[in-house]
Amino acid sequence: MTRSPRSFERALTFGGIVALVALVAALAAADDRAPPLPASTRIDRLVVYKAAHRLEAWSGERLVRTYRIAIGAGGAGPKRYEGDRRTPEGVYRIDRRHHSRRFHRFLHVSYPNDEDRRRYAELRERGAVPEGAGVGGDIGIHGESDVPAVRSLDNRGDWTDGCIAVTDAEIEELYRAVIPNATLEIRP
């Protein structure tokens, strides 16, 4: 079967369109995140905006990087008690770091602070805390879950039990750059 020059041009044009679509799809799927922070970067302050799902990393007065985050699945408002799946609100410190069995890296948050303890005591006195629930703890900034049913790539939707989640690549960067006792402000 011989093709006419016209049918060859159509086939070539169709092939070109298919190739162009494939290239665009590949570029869209490519990781478009910012290049890694320089090794010398030191982050001394983190600011979380829960409603905006944003974490800002600061070095002195300079904004170094902004990250998309997932927070606790318990809804708006500050953490009230253990198990409510809410992310706390207030001023804290990154008081330690460790490799987690459940998550990729973990920057531990100094929750609860005095305000959290006051709120918990008030709620407990009013009977608004489930029997056996404490004030909570083990809040942190971490990577994605190693549990496939929990894992949330690129933090689409709130899925944590009250922590702040970034991608595995992002927690690697933060784990390296955040200084001991860095300030963490968690805002509504």
Side-chain angles (χ1 to χ4, degrees), residues 80-81 119-120 122-131 133:
R80 300 165 299 167
Y81 52 82
R119 181 184 312 103
Y120 171 78
E122 184 180 290
L123 289 168
R124 188 162 182 81
E125 189 174 299
R126 290 192 324 214
V129 174
E131 189 66 34

Side-chain angles (χ1 to χ4, degrees), residues 4-177:
S4 71
R6 193 123 179 100
S7 66
F8 181 73
E9 286 174 4
R10 275 191 232 125
L12 184 59
T13 303
F14 179 74
I17 290 171
V18 169
L20 181 61
V21 168
L23 177 62
V24 169
L27 289 174
D31 188 24
D32 62 348
R33 297 187 201 290
L37 292 175
S40 62
T41 303
R42 294 295 168 252
I43 295 169
D44 57 10
R45 183 168 58 106
L46 299 164
V47 182
V48 168
Y49 298 91
K50 288 172 40 175
H53 292 87
R54 185 176 78 233
L55 181 152
E56 295 177 349
W58 293 81
S59 181
E61 296 302 314
R62 184 173 63 92
L63 177 62
V64 174
R65 180 80 33 99
T66 300
Y67 302 90
R68 176 178 171 73
I69 60 169
I71 58 173
K79 186 159 194 63
R80 300 165 299 167
Y81 52 82
E82 172 182 48
D84 68 1
R85 301 193 76 201
R86 288 186 179 183
T87 299
E89 295 173 3
V91 178
Y92 306 94
R93 297 273 177 198
I94 301 298
D95 58 1
R96 65 183 186 270
R97 64 190 69 231
H98 60 84
H99 296 271
S100 171
R101 284 178 276 134
R102 189 170 169 206
F103 303 103
H104 189 76
R105 302 279 190 270
F106 198 93
L107 295 172
H108 190 270
V109 173
S110 64
Y111 173 86
N113 63 21
D114 291 341
E115 176 63 20
D116 298 316
R117 286 185 187 91
R118 184 202 58 72
R119 181 184 312 103
Y120 171 78
E122 184 180 290
L123 289 168
R124 188 162 182 81
E125 189 174 299
R126 290 192 324 214
V129 174
E131 189 66 34
V135 68
D138 289 329
I139 299 293
I141 301 172
H142 58 68
E144 297 157 288
S145 175
D146 292 335
V147 179
V150 174
R151 192 175 183 88
S152 178
L153 298 176
D154 292 329
N155 296 315
R156 304 206 190 284
D158 294 329
W159 59 272
T160 76
D161 289 336
C163 292
I164 299 157
V166 294
T167 66
D168 288 349
E170 292 166 341
I171 195 61
E172 285 289 337
E173 183 171 82
L174 288 166
Y175 198 84
R176 178 184 44 76

